[in-house]
Amino acid sequence: MKYPSPYLTVVVIGLLFSLASSASHTHDHEHFLQCLQLQNSTSISEVVYTPSNSSYSSILHFSIQNHRFLSKTTPKPLVIVTPLHASHVQATIICSQLHGLQIRTRSGGHDFEGVSYISQLPFVIIDLINYRNIEVDAETRTAWVQAGATIVFRVERTLEQNATILIMKWQNVASKLHEDLAIRLELTTKAKFEALFLGGKDKLIPLMQERFPELGLVKEDCTEMSWIESTVYMVGSSSKSLQVLLQRTPSLPQSYKGKSDFLKHPIPESGLEGIWQLFKENGDKFAFMELFPYGGIMDQIPQSKLPFPHRSGNLCLVGYLDSWDQHGRDEVAQKQIKWITRIYSYMEPFASNSPRAAYLNYRDLDIGVNNIGYTSYEQASLWGLKYFKNNFNRLANVKTKMKFCSCENRVAEKFRGEEMQDNSYLDEFMEGTHSFYKNKRNKAKSNTQVPEDN
């Protein structure tokens, strides 16, 4: 079976988000299913799942990585579509617009807050589980992956082994190391230094002795492997087989909560002492704080060049994560969420400010959410500026233009060019769509409309 190119997928998903919110129409999923058949009668029925299907629950739960959102009270989609072709995605977008349904797009299901498969309004999920092929155009797009050696090491140090001093040194050198070397840092009640180096031991050891001799790295700490093997090692898998990369379900079912920060200056020694104390008080072996060094190419790309703005001037990205085995024990979840909120609050004096920036892939609804319905630009800025900084204004303007112009034109053209069994049904939709977007444009003149998805 031939899958669409990655470039077409990007275009389709871009359109998807521009059409995510829609006019208020009936939420009858039977009419929605009929619409899908009219739009794509040949094969779409094979990839559509409703609660009446025996496979509905297994499809819904398959990619939910965070079991915090597996409760009975978690909102469920009216329909799940697992497209095989771009036409399946297009049909789902158009019919969702027609019937006033929200769209949630899910790939790996890793969203920290479950936003890729949860909505407080009636919704459908476009699950991209079948979009897993990669096509390379050898004439215009070429990817080279060399089979050279990769060195990894994982070195742990306790407080008695001068972990605090080592962290202070890491903060000063990690973002300035050789471009082929990256050392990330994990904090619990001790410090773990994990590194990936594109080269051999004979080059790595002298490099470490010159820039970070305090760590005391020796050849025996290093393991040589291929780059693909290093991906298994770096995620902490107990298996050395590459087959583990093909597993599409989490090895350990868990619930978790995450937050993020960016550091522009080193955490002082007194600040590190407070972090050690918080981990000691928590006593949970699954809680950790991870620091990813920046620098390198990140320092060479202007903040305004791409939507992702967190580049030059950042020492590292900080991730806070705590996980637990749910099993219906709400008191455990409340305790761990309270702890991660506490360490996040403790880190405020050391994190970036004005705004306190956040990493979108570590989505955190605590920093702000949109209303169900209309959300002003001012309110959306509470979270938007943290994720996108000054790029948020540009992104909001682009999305607003797409919503008011591209949405109306593309949906209208699609329906005008195709026959429907009930022409009055189409006329009602066209009239309602025109009125809806005309009103939206009028509102936009006085206050920028921000789409409901964040």
Side-chain angles (χ1 to χ4, degrees), residues 49-205:
Y49 302 88
T50 68
S52 61
N53 295 119
S54 59
S55 300
Y56 172 86
S57 293
S58 60
I59 294 293
L60 175 62
H61 295 162
F62 183 80
S63 296
I64 296 181
Q65 304 290 336
N66 192 344
H67 285 210
R68 193 155 56 100
F69 304 110
L70 276 178
S71 69
K72 294 180 180 180
T73 59
T74 301
K76 307 295 191 298
L78 295 177
V79 178
I80 304 172
V81 180
T82 58
L84 295 173
H85 308 287
S87 60
H88 294 161
V89 179
Q90 294 164 346
T92 306
I93 292 171
I94 291 171
C95 293
S96 295
Q97 277 289 123
L98 179 59
H99 293 281
L101 298 176
Q102 290 281 300
I103 296 175
R104 289 294 179 260
T105 311
R106 181 170 71 176
S107 180
H110 294 92
D111 191 289
F112 275 24
E113 299 284 14
V115 176
S116 62
Y117 47 86
I118 293 175
S119 174
Q120 299 304 317
L121 294 174
F123 70 108
V124 300
I125 290 179
I126 296 181
D127 194 322
L128 302 177
I129 188 173
N130 294 320
Y131 271 64
R132 58 182 183 267
N133 281 18
I134 299 176
E135 292 186 2
V136 178
D137 188 332
E139 296 182 358
T140 60
R141 302 283 181 176
T142 304
W144 292 90
V145 180
Q146 296 180 336
T150 298
I151 300 296
V152 294
F153 68 78
R154 181 179 293 143
V155 176
E156 295 185 353
R157 295 290 186 262
T158 64
L159 290 176
E160 293 73 23
Q161 296 172 311
N162 296 320
T164 301
I165 295 176
L166 293 174
I167 295 170
M168 295 297 295
K169 181 59 180 286
W170 178 91
Q171 292 184 100
N172 287 316
V173 303
S175 62
K176 306 178 184 69
L177 292 173
H178 190 279
E179 62 181 7
D180 290 337
L181 174 61
I183 306 176
R184 70 183 183 188
L185 173 62
E186 181 180 300
L187 301 182
T188 53
T189 54
K190 55 188 176 182
K192 181 192 297 182
F193 299 86
E194 294 184 316
L196 182 69
F197 178 65
L198 302 180
K201 296 180 184 179
D202 292 339
K203 185 178 179 180
L204 173 61
I205 297 300

Side-chain angles (χ1 to χ4, degrees), residues 375-442:
T375 301
S376 69
Y377 176 85
E378 181 179 4
Q379 180 180 344
S381 296
L382 294 176
W383 58 264
L385 293 175
K386 294 177 181 180
Y387 287 133
F388 301 108
K389 301 181 71 173
N390 292 334
N391 291 344
F392 178 67
N393 181 56
R394 295 170 61 193
L395 291 168
N397 284 332
V398 169
K399 199 167 183 181
T400 299
K401 290 178 180 178
M402 291 176 68
K403 188 173 183 180
F404 296 154
C405 300
S406 179
C407 174
E408 181 179 11
N409 292 339
R410 294 186 188 184
V411 174
E413 289 173 3
K414 178 70 176 178
F415 276 87
R416 286 194 184 102
E418 296 186 16
E419 294 184 358
M420 295 186 69
Q421 294 178 351
D422 185 355
N423 288 333
S424 62
Y425 195 44
L426 174 58
D427 292 340
E428 178 185 352
F429 166 71
M430 293 303 300
E431 181 179 355
T433 299
H434 177 74
S435 176
F436 175 74
Y437 285 105
K438 181 178 179 181
N439 292 336
K440 291 293 185 181
R441 285 197 193 95
N442 292 336

Side-chain angles (χ1 to χ4, degrees), residues 294-315:
Y294 271 35
I297 191 65
M298 299 296 281
D299 282 347
Q300 301 174 29
I301 303 175
Q303 292 186 9
S304 60
K305 184 71 174 179
L306 298 169
F308 182 82
H310 311 289
R311 300 182 183 277
S312 179
N314 289 298
L315 291 181

